[in-house]
């Protein structure tokens, strides 16, 4: 089963999936540092979601976790109004997105694990545990996010890696990680494995931001799934570069370890806010490029559908 914000669905109900997206970011330190991160309109999220659906997509993993502007109730409303299959995240972002006095820095990993497990079992806390009165929505997270800022995690990131690994092992949820650089992957996977979470349960995001085919292939060989999610961000790398990376990874036999996403967490990337290319880009523009570059329909389907189904499938509780 896959846990969406509108409830659990059988794995075979999941269609083409954008594995790293952002529908809503409602304040928090990321927005204070970078006002362009503010994605505060459910109407705009519904518009983008409908464009993605019309272009042939079905699902998005929303990657905003606790304390950085996640809007649990808004995600539920977006899914209801648009028809999008939406998977929400609990967990944590990178160190610099939490204030020096944030509670995450005060507690040991096992106490933080309790908060994540409670979200997974009882529903997401509306404010991301930012308010002293815990109030849950019915919707539960379908994935746990974790992040590191550099190859060597900070003290806070060591704690969150341990907490997230233990919570994922306890709940059967998969993990999606933010890698600032591909060099971060080995430390992340080792820390998660130490808590009982195998690499097969992990999606490594942003591996295309600085990585080349060799680094990405090495990550695939660990059993983890790599997410190439800088699509549509032509300020970084053109989509054609990422298409070539996918083709090369498939050629090397890693076609079942690659997924795609669109980290379009800025107003300027959204049609609904007057920007480009909009959330339809992956399905409207990139998928045809994958076919034109020589991938077969089955190879494209593996990247968009089969691998997301395998990784998002919630495992049996292990403890
Ligand atoms: Zn992101």
């Amino acid at each position: 089963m896959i846990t969406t914000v509108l409830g659990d669905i059988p794995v075979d109900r999941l269609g083409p999936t954008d594995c790293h997206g952002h529908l809503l970011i409602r304040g928090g330190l990321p927005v204070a540092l970078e006002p362009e991160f503010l994605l505060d309109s459910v109407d705009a999220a519904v518009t983008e979601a409908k464009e993605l659906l019309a272009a042939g997509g079905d699902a998005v993993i929303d990657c905003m976790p606790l304390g950085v502007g996640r809007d649990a109730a808004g995600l539920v409303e977006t899914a209801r109004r648009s028809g999008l299959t939406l998977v929400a995240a609990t967990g944590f972002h990178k160190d610099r997105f939490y204030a020096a006095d944030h509670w995450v820095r005060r507690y040991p990993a096992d106490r933080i694990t309790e908060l994540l497990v409670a979200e997974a079992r009882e529903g997401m806390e509306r404010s991301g545990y930012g308010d002293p009165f815990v109030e849950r929505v019915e919707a539960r997270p379908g994935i746990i996010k974790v992040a590191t800022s550099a190859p060597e995690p900070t003290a806070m990131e060591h704690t969150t890696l341990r907490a997230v690994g233990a919570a994922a092992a306890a709940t059967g949820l998969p993990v999606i990680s933010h890698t600032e650089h591909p060099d971060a992957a080995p430390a992340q996977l080792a820390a998660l494995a130490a808590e009982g979470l195998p690499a097969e349960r992990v999606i490594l995001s942003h591996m295309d931001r600085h990585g080349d085919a060799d680094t990405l292939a090495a990550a695939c060989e660990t059993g983890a799934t790599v997410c190439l999610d800088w699509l549509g961000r032509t300020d970084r790398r053109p989509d054609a570069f990422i298409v070539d990376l996918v083709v090369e990874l498939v050629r090397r036999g890693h076609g079942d370890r690659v997924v795609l996403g669109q980290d379009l967490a800025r107003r300027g990337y959204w049609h609904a806010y007057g920007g480009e290319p909009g959330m339809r880009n992956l399905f409207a523009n990139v998928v045809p490029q994958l076919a034109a570059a020589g991938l077969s329909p089955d190879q494209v389907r593996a990247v968009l559908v089969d691998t997301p189904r395998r990784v998002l499938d919630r495992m049996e509780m292990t403890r």
Side-chain angles (χ1 to χ4, degrees):
M1 296 293 259
I2 295 171
T3 300
T4 80
V5 297
L6 298 184
D8 285 359
I9 59 169
V11 170
D12 60 12
R13 282 258 309 277
L14 190 79
T17 302
D18 172 345
C19 283
H20 187 120
H22 293 279
L23 273 303
L24 290 163
I25 304 177
R26 212 177 268 278
L29 203 47
V31 172
L33 293 167
E34 177 60 71
E36 265 279 293
F37 285 159
L38 182 69
L39 304 174
D40 59 345
S41 163
V42 171
D43 287 345
V46 168
T47 299
E48 290 288 328
K50 284 183 172 169
E51 287 191 14
L52 177 145
L53 292 167
D58 172 55
V60 174
I61 302 177
D62 184 273
C63 287
M64 258 359 214
L66 298 175
V68 285
R70 185 187 71 184
D71 180 355
L75 292 174
V76 173
E77 191 187 341
T78 301
R80 272 211 184 104
R81 284 175 49 193
S82 67
L84 181 70
T85 302
L86 191 43
V87 174
T90 186
F92 298 92
H93 215 306
K94 61 185 175 184
D95 193 315
R96 77 186 279 261
F97 287 162
Y98 297 88
D101 61 350
H102 192 276
W103 56 258
V104 69
R105 303 183 192 280
R106 290 204 299 276
Y107 294 99
D110 58 338
R111 297 303 311 277
I112 295 171
T113 301
E114 289 172 26
L115 295 175
L116 300 176
V117 170
E119 285 230 315
R121 294 189 176 153
E122 297 162 36
M124 291 185 280
E125 207 289 317
R126 274 179 189 276
S127 68
Y129 297 119
D131 188 290
F133 299 101
V134 169
E135 215 184 283
R136 300 190 186 280
V137 297
E138 200 179 314
R140 294 178 296 136
I143 200 160
I144 312 181
K145 168 113 170 220
V146 75
T148 58
S149 326
E152 182 55 30
T154 68
M156 175 223 143
E157 290 164 356
H158 269 298
T159 303
T160 52
L161 277 166
R162 289 180 53 207
V164 165
T171 59
L173 289 175
V175 165
I176 188 160
S177 82
H178 166 106
T179 59
E180 197 83 7
H181 191 279
D183 290 352
Q188 291 184 348
L189 294 174
L192 295 168
E195 301 300 325
L197 190 78
E200 284 72 14
R201 301 297 297 147
V202 181
I203 299 175
L204 299 162
S205 297
H206 314 325
M207 293 292 283
D208 51 333
R209 187 168 168 180
H210 302 287
D212 58 15
D214 288 343
T215 16
L216 270 66
C220 293
E221 275 155 22
T222 66
T225 294
V226 300
C227 185
L228 284 68
D229 47 40
W230 290 80
L231 291 165
R233 301 183 60 148
T234 44
D235 53 325
R236 299 279 180 167
R237 284 176 153 178
D239 287 356
F241 177 90
I242 296 168
V243 166
D244 287 348
L245 266 181
V246 175
V247 171
E248 178 59 17
L249 289 169
V250 170
R251 194 189 65 77
R252 294 189 192 192
H254 301 304
D256 61 346
R257 297 278 173 219
V258 177
V259 293
L260 297 175
Q262 312 185 89
D263 196 22
L264 302 177
R266 285 168 195 270
R267 297 170 83 88
Y269 294 131
W270 283 32
H271 284 163
Y273 291 122
E276 286 289 346
M279 231 177 270
R280 65 195 295 277
N281 182 56
L282 167 56
F283 301 100
N285 302 322
V286 177
V287 171
Q289 288 178 46
L290 290 169
L295 292 197
S296 71
D298 281 353
Q299 288 169 328
V300 173
R301 189 190 149 84
V303 170
L304 297 178
V305 180
D306 299 336
T307 301
R309 284 180 178 177
R310 187 186 72 233
V311 182
L312 287 172
D313 190 7
R314 222 174 53 228
M315 298 285 106
E316 292 295 311
M317 304 282 197
T318 54
R319 59 173 121 139

